[in-house]
Amino acid sequence: MDVLTTPLLKTRRLILTPPALGDHDDLTAIWADPAVYEGLIGRPATREESWHRLLRFQGHWDWCGYGTWMVRETASGRCIGSVGIMDSRRDTQPSFEGVPEVGWTLMGWAHGQGFAREALAALFDWADTRMPRTVCIIDPANAPSLRLAAHVGYGVYAEGLYRDRPTLFLERLA
């Protein structure tokens, strides 16, 4: 699937756009935000890492037929973050290889405003007819993400490890 056929999703306040070359600066800013990186990678991502992430976003659409959207406010066009579906092939215990993984990352200023819920609702409106089950992994200390995951229908199915750290494994059935 190429970028021209990647769906554009709209909600009342948001537009979810396919990844584009022009998103590199926004993605770099997202991963430089302590509210994003502290609970995920523990340090700001480099510009190079953000570039590789953007390439991965597009690669998922090209090879898997699903991927990540950039999330923007409709009114201002300001970048809020990203939401997406990945074939991450993470080295986790237990393994969930072969099951699409959903992830979300929003700038700190956008937390607590319902943007993530709204963006994920649009994602699932698109994904639920295409994939019967998705998973996500969340650090047990990340209470806001756990609340959001529960709100959109995820439930814990296992406790395990990712990168030698305790991790909750959640699943959602379409």
Side-chain angles (χ1 to χ4, degrees):
M1 178 179 293
D2 65 25
V3 74
L4 298 175
T5 59
T6 303
L8 185 75
L9 306 178
K10 295 180 180 182
T11 71
R12 184 176 62 79
R13 301 180 297 163
L14 305 173
I15 184 163
L16 284 65
T17 61
L21 291 174
D23 292 328
H24 185 214
D25 287 340
D26 285 333
L27 200 57
T28 300
I30 291 166
W31 284 91
D33 185 338
V36 172
Y37 69 74
E38 283 180 350
L40 297 171
I41 61 174
R43 60 168 176 74
T46 66
R47 187 164 173 77
E48 176 184 353
E49 289 168 327
S50 294
W51 174 248
H52 291 162
R53 186 177 307 276
L54 186 61
L55 294 173
R56 196 167 56 238
F57 287 0
Q58 183 57 45
H60 273 92
W61 285 109
D62 290 345
W63 284 15
C64 300
Y66 55 81
T68 297
W69 290 268
M70 298 299 292
V71 181
R72 299 184 180 284
E73 283 183 301
T74 302
S76 69
R78 179 168 57 161
C79 184
I80 292 174
S82 64
V83 297
I85 309 165
M86 306 166 281
D87 178 359
S88 59
R89 302 191 187 196
R90 295 183 194 273
D91 186 14
T92 61
Q93 293 298 323
S95 173
F96 59 87
E97 190 165 330
V99 180
E101 177 187 1
V102 170
W104 53 89
T105 355
L106 271 68
M107 299 287 287
W109 65 263
H111 291 184
Q113 299 181 55
F115 289 135
R117 259 187 220 178
E118 195 171 322
L120 286 170
L123 178 150
F124 290 123
D125 282 348
W126 180 85
D128 280 351
T129 61
R130 293 166 173 83
M131 44 197 75
R133 177 179 180 243
T134 58
V135 299
C136 67
I137 59 172
I138 301 176
D139 183 313
N142 190 340
S145 278
L146 289 169
R147 281 191 303 274
L148 174 61
H151 180 81
V152 299
Y154 280 98
V156 175
Y157 73 90
E159 295 180 17
L161 295 173
Y162 176 54
R163 295 183 177 163
D164 296 321
R165 294 177 52 191
T167 301
L168 295 176
F169 294 71
L170 298 89
E171 68 181 345
R172 180 184 182 278
L173 304 177

Tab-separated table of all heavy atoms in Angstrom, residues 69-101:
chain	number	residue	atom	x	y	z
A	69	TRP	N	-0.445	7.004	12.109
A	69	TRP	CA	-0.909	8.304	11.643
A	69	TRP	C	-0.307	9.391	12.516
A	69	TRP	O	-0.146	9.214	13.723
A	69	TRP	CB	-2.425	8.423	11.764
A	69	TRP	CG	-3.249	7.615	10.841
A	69	TRP	CD1	-3.738	7.991	9.615
A	69	TRP	CD2	-3.761	6.289	11.063
A	69	TRP	NE1	-4.494	6.989	9.071
A	69	TRP	CE2	-4.528	5.923	9.945
A	69	TRP	CE3	-3.650	5.366	12.106
A	69	TRP	CZ2	-5.176	4.705	9.835
A	69	TRP	CZ3	-4.273	4.145	12.002
A	69	TRP	CH2	-5.029	3.819	10.872
A	70	MET	N	-0.047	10.532	11.928
A	70	MET	CA	0.273	11.733	12.687
A	70	MET	C	-1.060	12.366	13.082
A	70	MET	O	-2.001	12.388	12.283
A	70	MET	CB	1.106	12.707	11.855
A	70	MET	CG	2.461	12.149	11.437
A	70	MET	SD	3.553	11.717	12.805
A	70	MET	CE	3.926	13.337	13.469
A	71	VAL	N	-1.141	12.852	14.302
A	71	VAL	CA	-2.385	13.417	14.830
A	71	VAL	C	-2.219	14.930	14.953
A	71	VAL	O	-1.274	15.409	15.579
A	71	VAL	CB	-2.731	12.806	16.208
A	71	VAL	CG1	-4.032	13.388	16.741
A	71	VAL	CG2	-2.801	11.284	16.123
A	72	ARG	N	-3.157	15.659	14.349
A	72	ARG	CA	-3.122	17.120	14.368
A	72	ARG	C	-4.478	17.680	14.775
A	72	ARG	O	-5.509	17.075	14.494
A	72	ARG	CB	-2.763	17.663	12.986
A	72	ARG	CG	-1.411	17.201	12.508
A	72	ARG	CD	-1.007	17.817	11.164
A	72	ARG	NE	0.299	17.323	10.797
A	72	ARG	CZ	1.448	17.742	11.333
A	72	ARG	NH1	1.419	18.697	12.233
A	72	ARG	NH2	2.596	17.223	10.963
A	73	GLU	N	-4.439	18.829	15.409
A	73	GLU	CA	-5.682	19.557	15.681
A	73	GLU	C	-6.223	20.048	14.349
A	73	GLU	O	-5.481	20.618	13.541
A	73	GLU	CB	-5.424	20.782	16.554
A	73	GLU	CG	-5.199	20.515	18.002
A	73	GLU	CD	-5.030	21.813	18.767
A	73	GLU	OE1	-4.109	22.588	18.439
A	73	GLU	OE2	-5.826	22.039	19.692
A	74	THR	N	-7.504	19.852	14.110
A	74	THR	CA	-8.101	20.289	12.858
A	74	THR	C	-8.066	21.815	12.744
A	74	THR	O	-7.698	22.355	11.696
A	74	THR	CB	-9.557	19.790	12.754
A	74	THR	OG1	-9.538	18.369	12.865
A	74	THR	CG2	-10.187	20.183	11.440
A	75	ALA	N	-8.418	22.498	13.823
A	75	ALA	CA	-8.537	23.958	13.769
A	75	ALA	C	-7.208	24.649	13.504
A	75	ALA	O	-7.136	25.576	12.695
A	75	ALA	CB	-9.145	24.475	15.069
A	76	SER	N	-6.137	24.210	14.155
A	76	SER	CA	-4.854	24.909	14.063
A	76	SER	C	-3.825	24.197	13.192
A	76	SER	O	-2.859	24.815	12.757
A	76	SER	CB	-4.264	25.078	15.463
A	76	SER	OG	-3.876	23.805	15.981
A	77	GLY	N	-3.988	22.894	12.967
A	77	GLY	CA	-2.989	22.107	12.254
A	77	GLY	C	-1.809	21.706	13.122
A	77	GLY	O	-0.890	21.029	12.667
A	78	ARG	N	-1.837	22.126	14.391
A	78	ARG	CA	-0.731	21.831	15.312
A	78	ARG	C	-0.628	20.330	15.565
A	78	ARG	O	-1.626	19.653	15.778
A	78	ARG	CB	-0.974	22.585	16.620
A	78	ARG	CG	0.070	22.353	17.676
A	78	ARG	CD	-0.031	23.311	18.830
A	78	ARG	NE	-1.322	23.291	19.484
A	78	ARG	CZ	-1.549	23.745	20.710
A	78	ARG	NH1	-0.552	24.265	21.415
A	78	ARG	NH2	-2.744	23.698	21.236
A	79	CYS	N	0.592	19.818	15.548
A	79	CYS	CA	0.830	18.399	15.783
A	79	CYS	C	0.633	18.071	17.255
A	79	CYS	O	1.176	18.738	18.136
A	79	CYS	CB	2.239	18.028	15.349
A	79	CYS	SG	2.575	16.259	15.498
A	80	ILE	N	-0.163	17.042	17.503
A	80	ILE	CA	-0.436	16.583	18.857
A	80	ILE	C	0.405	15.355	19.179
A	80	ILE	O	0.841	15.160	20.299
A	80	ILE	CB	-1.937	16.253	19.002
A	80	ILE	CG1	-2.763	17.530	18.915
A	80	ILE	CG2	-2.219	15.497	20.288
A	80	ILE	CD1	-4.255	17.278	18.903
A	81	GLY	N	0.608	14.485	18.189
A	81	GLY	CA	1.351	13.254	18.425
A	81	GLY	C	1.106	12.263	17.310
A	81	GLY	O	0.893	12.642	16.160
A	82	SER	N	1.109	10.982	17.690
A	82	SER	CA	0.869	9.921	16.712
A	82	SER	C	0.132	8.770	17.370
A	82	SER	O	0.235	8.565	18.580
A	82	SER	CB	2.191	9.434	16.111
A	82	SER	OG	3.003	8.837	17.100
A	83	VAL	N	-0.627	8.045	16.556
A	83	VAL	CA	-1.261	6.792	16.976
A	83	VAL	C	-1.095	5.818	15.823
A	83	VAL	O	-1.057	6.223	14.666
A	83	VAL	CB	-2.765	6.942	17.327
A	83	VAL	CG1	-2.969	7.868	18.510
A	83	VAL	CG2	-3.585	7.396	16.130
A	84	GLY	N	-0.976	4.546	16.160
A	84	GLY	CA	-0.801	3.621	15.061
A	84	GLY	C	-0.844	2.165	15.447
A	84	GLY	O	-1.010	1.809	16.613
A	85	ILE	N	-0.695	1.357	14.414
A	85	ILE	CA	-0.709	-0.093	14.524
A	85	ILE	C	0.602	-0.588	13.927
A	85	ILE	O	0.978	-0.181	12.822
A	85	ILE	CB	-1.904	-0.690	13.754
A	85	ILE	CG1	-3.196	-0.001	14.166
A	85	ILE	CG2	-1.966	-2.197	13.976
A	85	ILE	CD1	-4.359	-0.256	13.219
A	86	MET	N	1.286	-1.462	14.662
A	86	MET	CA	2.614	-1.894	14.250
A	86	MET	C	2.721	-3.415	14.238
A	86	MET	O	2.033	-4.096	14.990
A	86	MET	CB	3.660	-1.378	15.245
A	86	MET	CG	3.641	0.101	15.493
A	86	MET	SD	4.610	0.561	16.944
A	86	MET	CE	3.470	0.132	18.271
A	87	ASP	N	3.621	-3.895	13.414
A	87	ASP	CA	4.117	-5.260	13.504
A	87	ASP	C	5.521	-5.103	14.088
A	87	ASP	O	6.505	-5.034	13.365
A	87	ASP	CB	4.159	-5.907	12.117
A	87	ASP	CG	4.710	-7.311	12.137
A	87	ASP	OD1	5.089	-7.809	13.226
A	87	ASP	OD2	4.799	-7.925	11.061
A	88	SER	N	5.607	-4.980	15.401
A	88	SER	CA	6.850	-4.558	16.046
A	88	SER	C	7.869	-5.669	16.241
A	88	SER	O	9.051	-5.390	16.400
A	88	SER	CB	6.531	-3.919	17.394
A	88	SER	OG	5.847	-4.846	18.210
A	89	ARG	N	7.418	-6.896	16.265
A	89	ARG	CA	8.317	-8.042	16.473
A	89	ARG	C	9.251	-7.820	17.651
A	89	ARG	O	10.443	-8.125	17.610
A	89	ARG	CB	9.093	-8.359	15.201
A	89	ARG	CG	8.123	-8.647	14.068
A	89	ARG	CD	8.738	-9.209	12.858
A	89	ARG	NE	7.702	-9.276	11.824
A	89	ARG	CZ	7.821	-9.980	10.746
A	89	ARG	NH1	8.896	-10.686	10.528
A	89	ARG	NH2	6.845	-9.984	9.864
A	90	ARG	N	8.673	-7.313	18.718
A	90	ARG	CA	9.458	-7.042	19.930
A	90	ARG	C	9.917	-8.343	20.576
A	90	ARG	O	9.222	-9.343	20.522
A	90	ARG	CB	8.608	-6.270	20.940
A	90	ARG	CG	8.209	-4.882	20.485
A	90	ARG	CD	7.440	-4.182	21.602
A	90	ARG	NE	6.754	-3.008	21.151
A	90	ARG	CZ	7.291	-1.790	21.087
A	90	ARG	NH1	8.549	-1.615	21.426
A	90	ARG	NH2	6.579	-0.763	20.685
A	91	ASP	N	11.048	-8.261	21.227
A	91	ASP	CA	11.578	-9.399	21.977
A	91	ASP	C	10.995	-9.331	23.386
A	91	ASP	O	11.612	-8.789	24.301
A	91	ASP	CB	13.100	-9.344	21.987
A	91	ASP	CG	13.729	-10.565	22.632
A	91	ASP	OD1	13.020	-11.579	22.832
A	91	ASP	OD2	14.931	-10.505	22.949
A	92	THR	N	9.781	-9.843	23.535
A	92	THR	CA	9.078	-9.791	24.820
A	92	THR	C	8.875	-11.193	25.364
A	92	THR	O	8.880	-12.177	24.641
A	92	THR	CB	7.693	-9.130	24.675
A	92	THR	OG1	6.902	-9.907	23.766
A	92	THR	CG2	7.788	-7.701	24.182
A	93	GLN	N	8.656	-11.238	26.670
A	93	GLN	CA	8.245	-12.474	27.333
A	93	GLN	C	6.950	-12.164	28.058
A	93	GLN	O	6.972	-11.381	29.001
A	93	GLN	CB	9.326	-12.952	28.309
A	93	GLN	CG	10.591	-13.384	27.621
A	93	GLN	CD	10.372	-14.558	26.681
A	93	GLN	OE1	9.592	-15.462	26.968
A	93	GLN	NE2	11.031	-14.531	25.552
A	94	PRO	N	5.810	-12.679	27.639
A	94	PRO	CA	5.611	-13.605	26.531
A	94	PRO	C	5.646	-12.886	25.175
A	94	PRO	O	5.502	-11.672	25.106
A	94	PRO	CB	4.207	-14.161	26.791
A	94	PRO	CG	3.494	-13.038	27.473
A	94	PRO	CD	4.548	-12.368	28.325
A	95	SER	N	5.808	-13.663	24.138
A	95	SER	CA	5.831	-13.125	22.778
A	95	SER	C	4.400	-12.874	22.290
A	95	SER	O	3.482	-13.606	22.655
A	95	SER	CB	6.497	-14.127	21.831
A	95	SER	OG	6.383	-13.678	20.495
A	96	PHE	N	4.238	-11.832	21.499
A	96	PHE	CA	2.956	-11.609	20.814
A	96	PHE	C	3.181	-11.414	19.318
A	96	PHE	O	2.361	-10.818	18.619
A	96	PHE	CB	2.155	-10.448	21.436
A	96	PHE	CG	2.859	-9.117	21.421
A	96	PHE	CD1	2.768	-8.274	20.321
A	96	PHE	CD2	3.605	-8.704	22.509
A	96	PHE	CE1	3.409	-7.046	20.309
A	96	PHE	CE2	4.245	-7.476	22.509
A	96	PHE	CZ	4.148	-6.644	21.406
A	97	GLU	N	4.285	-11.948	18.833
A	97	GLU	CA	4.617	-11.818	17.414
A	97	GLU	C	3.461	-12.331	16.557
A	97	GLU	O	2.859	-13.361	16.854
A	97	GLU	CB	5.889	-12.593	17.075
A	97	GLU	CG	6.371	-12.274	15.674
A	97	GLU	CD	7.800	-12.715	15.419
A	97	GLU	OE1	8.614	-12.741	16.363
A	97	GLU	OE2	8.086	-13.026	14.259
A	98	GLY	N	3.149	-11.578	15.512
A	98	GLY	CA	2.060	-11.941	14.619
A	98	GLY	C	0.745	-11.261	14.946
A	98	GLY	O	-0.211	-11.353	14.183
A	99	VAL	N	0.686	-10.575	16.082
A	99	VAL	CA	-0.531	-9.854	16.475
A	99	VAL	C	-0.238	-8.360	16.359
A	99	VAL	O	0.767	-7.884	16.904
A	99	VAL	CB	-0.959	-10.198	17.916
A	99	VAL	CG1	-2.220	-9.442	18.302
A	99	VAL	CG2	-1.148	-11.699	18.080
A	100	PRO	N	-1.064	-7.591	15.654
A	100	PRO	CA	-0.824	-6.154	15.533
A	100	PRO	C	-0.808	-5.463	16.901
A	100	PRO	O	-1.636	-5.750	17.765
A	100	PRO	CB	-2.000	-5.655	14.686
A	100	PRO	CG	-2.499	-6.871	13.973
A	100	PRO	CD	-2.255	-8.017	14.908
A	101	GLU	N	0.157	-4.559	17.056
A	101	GLU	CA	0.319	-3.805	18.301
A	101	GLU	C	-0.109	-2.358	18.083
A	101	GLU	O	0.333	-1.711	17.135
A	101	GLU	CB	1.781	-3.842	18.753
A	101	GLU	CG	2.051	-3.025	19.985
A	101	GLU	CD	3.532	-2.925	20.324
A	101	GLU	OE1	4.377	-3.478	19.587
A	101	GLU	OE2	3.839	-2.260	21.331
